[in-house]
Each structure stands twice: as structure tokens, then as C-alpha cells.
Amino acid sequence: MYATQALTHVVPLAEEFDKNKVTPGVLGFLVFAALAVGVWLLMKSMNRHMGKVNFEEAPDPDAAPAGAEASGNGAGRAR
């Protein structure tokens, strides 16, 4: 079958569709699926990198020790 003969069979089918209705079609689905797979891969990579982070907060050297506030000497109280 030639390409022109195949197109003559497809053209009448295309006329049955509503010309005022716009749909994304197969290309829209493929683009959306590719974006979804890309986001999934980025999230997987981010989780892997965040798992490697070893964060332990160092105490603030300017802050008073925790026991100094409870001593009752009145330092640091609002008047």
C-alpha cells in the first residue's frame, strides 16, 4: 500500500472529529511522561545526596551554658 492511499483512508476519519475541540494527543502524553520520569530521577538523586550529608550542629560559643539560666542569680531576666 502506498502512502497516498493510506492518507486517503485516514482523511475521512479525521473529518469525524470535532474541529473546535483541542486535545494534547500522544505527543502531549509523551512530553508529560518524560517530565514525570525526569522529576522522579531528580528526587531519587536528591534523596541519595541528602543521605550522605552528616550534619551535627556545633554549640554556639557565645551562648551561656544551659545550667547558668537555672541558677537563679537573676541574670538575663526582663525587668
Side-chain angles (χ1 to χ4, degrees):
M1 181 181 270
Y2 295 109
T4 55
Q5 289 177 338
L7 287 176
T8 58
H9 292 291
V10 174
V11 171
L13 294 176
E15 292 176 359
E16 294 176 9
F17 293 116
D18 185 12
K19 294 181 181 181
N20 295 325
K21 184 179 180 183
V22 178
T23 60
V26 176
L27 180 63
F29 173 75
L30 292 176
V31 169
F32 183 77
L35 286 172
V37 169
V39 168
W40 180 73
L41 289 172
L42 283 172
M43 293 294 290
K44 188 174 178 180
S45 174
M46 183 192 70
N47 282 333
R48 191 177 321 127
H49 281 87
M50 291 300 287
K52 292 179 184 178
V53 173
N54 186 11
F55 177 74
E56 186 174 322
E57 188 172 352
D60 189 11
D62 295 334
E69 291 180 15
S71 65
N73 62 1
R77 271 200 258 173
R79 293 182 186 195

